[in-house]
Amino acid sequence: VYGSANWGDMDVRSVLSAFPQVVDFSGHSHYAASDPRSVWQKQFTAIGTGGLAYEEVTVGRDRTLHPEGFAQAAQGWIVEADANNRLRLRGFDVATGEWLCEYVMDDVVNPKNFAYTPAQQRSRSSAPKFPEGSALTAVKNEDGYTVTAPAAVSTDGNIVFLYRLYVEDGKGKILHSEYVVNDYCNSRPRETVEFKINAPAGSVVKAAAENAYGMQSEKLSLTL
């Protein structure tokens, strides 16, 4: 499982789909354990183990991306299972000793009771938001502008996955867009996020925070 929707081995999946009691732990993908897409249920249960060497993410068609601080990230799970088929997963940051997230799965052998299918997780999610009174700032330099946005906060208990910046002309046409992956993988939340852009004066820049399921905050806006 690589962020659930992003990658999966179809040969393995076709076999495991006949065994709903399976809980499959897979490593090597280096996808952060704190990303909710590392927990997947459908015909069976699959868990991505995170990584002890570095973290790696996928955004759309862009693969093998490395967020800031990726080399210092070290995540894993503390797993408990009881006689009633109840599974408790606690994401743990090995580098800092901090708890990242927790999932409790009741009756993990029965697909009818699976509570962490991609559709269910998405339905419980909500867009991040910028703190009240937040604003963009821009500093002109030799290469264009450095646009700074404040950190957003989660509204659903999950990570803020990335920040997107849009550059528009005076009529609302998007001239350029880019994103910065949040450094959530090392449990050291950033206070600001910077975009370095080359855009003409008079352009309108807008920034939005996005969760793991593509849900965006209200945009902050600034005219250069």
Side-chain angles (χ1 to χ4, degrees):
V1 58
Y2 183 64
S4 292
N6 292 320
W7 183 88
D9 189 306
M10 292 300 102
D11 292 332
V12 174
R13 181 172 175 170
S14 65
V15 174
L16 297 185
S17 292
F19 301 94
Q21 71 271 29
V22 162
V23 179
D24 177 73
F25 290 87
S26 58
H28 191 71
S29 68
H30 296 272
Y31 215 84
S34 53
D35 190 307
R37 293 169 295 181
S38 285
V39 175
W40 179 93
Q41 288 187 304
K42 205 164 186 182
Q43 296 90 350
F44 58 98
T45 300
I47 311 294
T49 60
L52 293 177
Y54 62 88
E55 298 290 358
E56 192 172 276
V57 301
T58 292
V59 179
R61 295 182 180 180
D62 298 334
R63 292 180 177 255
T64 64
L65 300 173
H66 299 113
E68 184 178 329
F70 75 100
Q72 288 75 45
Q75 294 188 0
W77 296 102
I78 304 298
V79 183
E80 301 172 49
D82 68 17
N84 297 315
N85 299 320
R86 192 181 198 210
L87 189 70
R88 184 189 187 197
L89 300 167
R90 288 185 291 166
F92 186 67
D93 188 317
V94 182
T96 65
E98 297 179 14
W99 296 106
L100 301 167
C101 52
E102 180 175 281
Y103 298 88
V104 177
M105 301 177 178
D106 292 312
D107 198 12
V108 76
V109 304
N110 186 354
K112 292 182 179 179
N113 293 329
F114 285 175
Y116 293 97
T117 66
Q120 288 172 311
Q121 290 213 70
R122 183 181 177 86
S123 70
R124 292 193 293 265
S125 296
S126 55
K129 65 178 182 180
F130 289 107
E132 187 174 350
S134 293
L136 299 179
T137 61
V139 176
K140 196 175 189 312
N141 49 53
E142 293 181 356
D143 300 323
Y145 292 88
T146 298
V147 179
T148 302
V153 295
S154 171
T155 60
D156 58 9
N158 289 321
I159 60 168
V160 177
F161 182 51
L162 55 77
Y163 295 85
R164 294 190 187 272
L165 187 81
Y166 304 90
V167 180
E168 301 178 355
D169 63 14
K171 298 181 180 179
K173 179 182 178 180
I174 296 178
L175 305 174
H176 172 74
S177 64
E178 59 183 81
Y179 62 83
V180 171
V181 177
N182 193 22
D183 50 339
Y184 61 87
C185 60
N186 57 22
S187 72
R188 300 176 184 90
R190 63 172 75 223
E191 295 180 0
T192 59
V193 58
E194 288 188 353
F195 297 88
K196 297 185 184 299
I197 60 171
N198 189 351
S203 300
V204 177
V205 291
K206 296 180 179 180
E210 190 171 294
N211 70 4
Y213 299 100
M215 301 174 183
Q216 287 192 351
S217 68
E218 292 187 7
K219 294 183 178 68
L220 301 178
S221 180
L222 174 71
T223 300
L224 298 177

